[in-house]
Amino acid sequence: MTSDAAAQFNIHDAKTNLSRIIDRVEHGEEIVISRAGTPVAKVIPLNRKVHRSGRGSLRGKLLATEDWDSPEVNETIALDFGLAQ
């Protein structure tokens, strides 16, 4: 959006144009929803905390040793989480 003011929709128009509003928000806009001219809500973009490239994005980056599921390793993990004596 070119100005600092957020776009504003009344509730009826917001219901009618919800898909368009969401599309604009996905592109970084903030939208204000008003009832009888009084702002009551703001629709803002969510910032994603994790951007994954898809399934298998850690392929080749993790190393599993031959003993990854041995009783000794399992016992150590259980102790780390307070689940073993």
Side-chain angles (χ1 to χ4, degrees), residues 28-62:
E29 251 186 275
E30 293 185 358
I31 307 290
V32 173
I33 310 295
S34 299
R35 175 182 287 137
T38 304
V40 294
K42 183 186 272 188
V43 184
I44 61 170
L46 288 176
N47 294 325
R48 295 182 181 195
K49 296 182 185 214
V50 177
H51 295 284
R52 293 194 175 106
S53 58
R55 290 184 178 202
S57 61
L58 293 176
R59 182 173 291 169
K61 297 179 183 175
L62 299 177

Side-chain angles (χ1 to χ4, degrees), residues 3-71:
S3 70
D4 291 337
Q8 193 164 343
F9 288 82
N10 66 43
I11 291 177
H12 174 74
D13 290 338
K15 289 192 306 185
T16 303
N17 296 296
L18 183 60
S19 294
R20 289 185 193 108
I21 290 171
I22 297 299
D23 186 52
R24 289 171 65 171
V25 169
E26 285 178 328
H27 287 91
E29 251 186 275
E30 293 185 358
I31 307 290
V32 173
I33 310 295
S34 299
R35 175 182 287 137
T38 304
V40 294
K42 183 186 272 188
V43 184
I44 61 170
L46 288 176
N47 294 325
R48 295 182 181 195
K49 296 182 185 214
V50 177
H51 295 284
R52 293 194 175 106
S53 58
R55 290 184 178 202
S57 61
L58 293 176
R59 182 173 291 169
K61 297 179 183 175
L62 299 177
L63 174 66
T65 60
E66 292 293 323
D67 68 341
W68 72 271
D69 197 25
S70 69

